[in-house]
Amino acid sequence: EVQLVESGGGLVQPGGSLRLSCAASGFSFRTDVMSWVRQAPGKGLDWVSTISSGSGSKTYADSVKGRFTIARDNAKNMLYLQMNSLKPEDTAVYYCAISALGSPSTWTRGQGTQVTVSS
C-alpha cells in the first residue's frame, strides 16, 4: 500500500521559514519522480515543485522560485521542502505526491500538512 505522510507544517510569521517532510513507503520511491503541490483555502490544487529520482533535476513554480528548495533522501525514503521568506499567499495545505502524466489533481498524494503564514 502506498503511503505518503507529510509533517512539519504550522503557523509562521511572514518572512519566516518552515521545513516540510514526507515519509514514503509502499512503492519504489527511489525510482519515482516526486512533487509538492498545495491547495489554498477555496482554491484548486497548485503544483509547487518537482524533483527527479536522482535529484539531478528540480523545477519550481514561479511563485516560489528562489524561496523554496526541494530535496530527497532515497536511502531514507524521504522528501523535503525547505520554505524560506514565507508570504501570506503561501498559506495552504501542502501535499507530497508521486508525479505522473496528467493534472496534479490526479497524482497520488498524502493527507497533507497545513501551513499558515500570518502575523
Side-chain angles (χ1 to χ4, degrees):
E1 178 189 4
V2 172
Q3 284 198 322
L4 297 166
V5 181
E6 301 91 340
S7 61
L11 173 64
V12 63
Q13 292 187 340
S17 297
L18 282 174
R19 187 194 193 209
L20 305 184
S21 299
C22 173
S25 62
F27 65 103
S28 55
F29 176 81
R30 64 186 61 202
T31 63
D32 275 323
V33 177
M34 297 295 297
S35 294
W36 287 96
V37 296
R38 67 186 182 184
Q39 187 165 25
K43 298 188 177 181
L45 201 64
D46 287 331
W47 169 74
V48 174
S49 182
T50 294
I51 186 168
S52 62
S53 58
S55 301
S57 174
K58 302 175 184 180
T59 53
Y60 300 93
D62 287 344
S63 58
V64 307
K65 200 171 295 182
R67 300 187 297 121
F68 290 11
T69 302
I70 192 170
R72 66 192 295 165
D73 185 335
N74 286 344
K76 297 181 178 179
N77 280 13
M78 294 292 295
L79 179 70
Y80 304 100
L81 186 68
Q82 177 67 44
M83 306 186 296
N84 298 329
S85 302
L86 282 161
K87 304 175 181 180
E89 51 264 43
D90 294 318
T91 295
V93 178
Y94 284 72
Y95 303 88
C96 68
I98 305 172
S99 302
L101 296 176
S103 167
S105 63
T106 66
W107 298 352
T108 299
R109 60 184 187 268
Q111 86 290 345
T113 187
Q114 175 71 48
V115 172
T116 302
V117 185
S118 175
S119 54

